[in-house]
Amino acid sequence: MPEKTGISYEDCSVYVDDEDESTVIAWLEKHLGAGDGGQGLAVGPLWVSGAGNDCSTGRKAHPFEFLEWPTVLECEAPAESGPGAVAAAVTIVLETLWCGGACDFEDELPARGGSERYPLPSPLRVCRR
């Protein structure tokens, strides 16, 4: 994908349907093998930290209404980071979240633990387990 000129690659927000941002960061640390157990983690040139979504009203009109999800991951990159490296790092964060699943045995649960009831975007590569 060609890089776009005139846009900033310094920050990106990723919305997560989880009430506790520290749990999301800890989960990403575990699955990415990154971080130091602190308030954020480095993924490529990104610094990823979690915060509560100040715009969330708690209303769940539709499960995919992501702007209402309670946690926001703030992904920040230094200005000198290449756009391709930033996009690749955000891709890693998104695909890790998409492939996460609720538990390691969800294939044994009805509707795969609910994942069949709420279709997700197809990851670009096979999920690592």
Side-chain angles (χ1 to χ4, degrees):
M1 176 175 283
E3 296 172 2
K4 298 177 182 176
T5 56
I7 65 170
S8 171
Y9 285 82
E10 294 177 30
D11 59 72
C12 175
S13 297
V14 175
Y15 294 81
V16 183
D17 194 7
D18 191 292
E19 296 290 336
D20 183 14
E21 60 268 10
S22 60
T23 301
V24 175
I25 292 295
W27 188 90
L28 282 170
E29 286 179 338
K30 175 184 171 191
H31 287 83
L32 291 173
D36 60 4
Q39 297 298 313
L41 69 147
V43 179
L46 292 180
W47 178 252
V48 181
S49 59
N53 180 0
D54 293 337
C55 297
S56 177
T57 63
R59 176 175 62 90
K60 295 275 187 151
H62 189 277
F64 299 131
E65 193 173 340
F66 69 91
L67 293 175
E68 288 289 329
W69 291 353
T71 294
V72 179
L73 296 181
E74 299 295 345
C75 303
E76 300 173 338
E80 63 273 8
S81 300
V86 173
V90 173
T91 297
I92 289 168
V93 171
L94 287 173
E95 288 184 345
T96 301
L97 291 167
W98 292 342
C99 293
C103 56
D104 290 338
F105 55 90
E106 65 188 9
D107 58 316
E108 298 175 41
L109 301 173
R112 292 187 33 82
S115 63
E116 290 176 357
R117 297 179 74 183
Y118 302 102
L120 300 173
S122 298
L124 299 176
R125 59 181 176 261
V126 176
C127 295
R128 297 166 288 217
R129 285 255 185 213

